Amino acid sequence: MLTKWRFGMEHLPAYELTKSFRLLVALFGIADTRRRALHCAGGCGHEWHNLSATRSNLGAADGAS
């Protein structure tokens, strides 16, 4: 999808690419937070929403704390 919608970034000067990338990451972060609040409020099985629980489980399995 992102290869289809490049947001016109190929026309930006090099010094603007970093700012544009950070803006897109922030935008996706806001969208994910809203999606979690609406669709995953009661809990979900998405691995990327449960990373801290997964890391805790991996640490316990390895014997680390």
Side-chain angles (χ1 to χ4, degrees):
M1 181 180 343
L2 289 178
T3 57
K4 181 180 174 185
W5 303 337
R6 295 189 182 156
F7 306 108
M9 291 179 66
E10 67 272 8
H11 300 296
L12 291 174
Y15 62 87
E16 291 289 340
L17 288 174
T18 302
K19 291 192 280 185
S20 300
F21 177 75
R22 288 179 180 165
L23 178 63
L24 285 174
V25 169
L27 179 65
F28 289 141
I30 292 167
D32 184 56
T33 301
R34 288 182 181 174
R35 185 184 178 287
R36 275 193 219 192
L38 292 173
H39 301 288
C40 299
C44 67
H46 297 121
E47 293 178 14
W48 58 88
H49 289 173
N50 300 306
L51 290 176
S52 59
T54 304
R55 288 183 186 150
S56 297
N57 291 339
L58 288 175
D62 294 338
S65 48

